[in-house]
Amino acid sequence: ISACLVGSEMCIRDRSKTIKYYDNNAQDFFDSVKDYDIQFLYDLFLKDIPKAGKILDAGCGGGRDSKYFKNNGLEVTAFDASAELVEIAQDYSGLPVKHMRFQDMGFEKEFDGIWASASLLHVDKSELDNVMNKIYKALKPGGVLFCSFRFGQGESYEKERYFNDQTEESLKRLLTQHKLEISHLSIPENLKSRRGFNFVISFSKKI
């Protein structure tokens, strides 16, 4: 993993390859994450979501979480930027899945909760404020956002995937700037990746 120099030609080139990486490795990626036990995250998220509430699985990957929410009686809208993952997600979850990016969102006060599990971390830092504005608009008043990032500072890339990394302090600043009230923010030890990365997670509500 190398530090990314903002504005460099190398950095821009690598960012453009992120979706292609997931298209080329969709099944292997899904197989590597579909059996993760993240029940404690589901529980934290759903405690503030009404029964039969509307959920947006934003950057849904292969549909693991969409399927869980659907099976628990929620109305789920899902999207992903990788066409290959969209196909897997539709087959696995039994839901229609939109092929789109965060930047394409145009929802207005539609969702009781937005689930962005290890997905916002691929949004270019220069576009993150705009995306967070779209997330805020998509949430109903009091709606819940879950998001997770790799713990770190600045920008990085690995296996052709671009990452914007966050610390607890930078994530808190990002959420509060966008009028989201944090209810939980932590670096759970049991979410450490197989490659040794920690994740910083947060649950917040639209004020």
Side-chain angles (χ1 to χ4, degrees):
I1 301 168
S2 302
C4 217
L5 298 176
V6 177
S8 73
E9 183 179 346
M10 176 66 76
C11 216
I12 293 168
R13 185 167 68 247
D14 281 358
R15 292 173 192 177
S16 70
K17 292 181 177 180
T18 302
I19 295 172
K20 185 176 181 181
Y21 171 87
Y22 284 109
D23 282 339
N24 291 339
N25 298 277
Q27 190 63 55
D28 287 344
F29 171 75
F30 177 61
D31 290 343
S32 74
V33 301
K34 70 182 177 68
D35 295 322
Y36 276 4
D37 180 5
I38 56 168
Q39 186 63 49
F40 79 105
L41 294 178
Y42 294 147
D43 292 343
L44 284 169
F45 183 63
L46 294 179
K47 70 182 180 66
D48 292 318
I49 303 292
K51 290 184 178 179
K54 295 187 69 174
I55 299 298
L56 177 64
D57 191 354
C60 68
R64 174 197 66 196
D65 304 329
S66 293
K67 182 176 182 178
Y68 177 87
F69 295 137
K70 172 193 162 188
N71 290 346
N72 280 270
L74 297 159
E75 182 181 341
V76 182
T77 299
F79 73 79
D80 200 89
S82 163
E84 297 298 323
L85 282 174
V86 165
E87 289 192 16
I88 292 172
Q90 291 184 147
D91 289 343
Y92 186 73
S93 69
L95 292 163
V97 178
K98 300 177 186 292
H99 180 213
M100 57 182 274
R101 307 177 308 151
F102 279 99
Q103 292 88 337
D104 302 321
M105 289 172 55
F107 306 108
E108 293 283 343
K109 297 181 181 178
E110 190 166 340
F111 300 104
D112 299 294
I114 295 179
W115 179 266
S117 179
S119 53
L120 280 170
L121 49 71
H122 290 311
V123 174
D124 192 298
K125 275 206 171 178
S126 67
E127 300 180 21
L128 197 50
D129 280 328
N130 179 52
V131 166
M132 292 300 295
N133 285 334
K134 290 177 178 290
I135 285 173
Y136 183 85
K137 289 178 182 178
L139 284 169
K140 296 177 182 179
V144 177
L145 169 66
F146 165 69
C147 60
S148 56
F149 293 82
R150 292 203 319 190
F151 179 78
Q153 297 187 32
E155 300 166 280
S156 60
Y157 58 91
E158 178 202 3
K159 294 182 178 178
E160 301 183 323
R161 293 177 296 172
Y162 166 84
F163 292 88
N164 78 75
D165 300 329
Q166 302 288 335
T167 63
E168 289 171 293
E169 293 77 15
S170 66
L171 182 53
K172 180 179 180 180
R173 186 163 56 249
L174 177 69
L175 295 168
T176 55
Q177 283 175 348
H178 291 276
K179 299 180 182 179
L180 293 162
E181 187 175 73
I182 299 167
S183 58
H184 178 98
L185 196 154
S186 67
I187 305 174
E189 183 62 28
N190 58 337
L191 276 188
K192 184 176 288 189
S193 78
R194 293 168 185 167
R195 298 184 305 282
F197 296 110
N198 286 310
F199 287 89
V200 56
I201 69 166
S202 68
F203 294 86
S204 56
K205 288 186 178 183
K206 180 175 180 176
I207 301 171

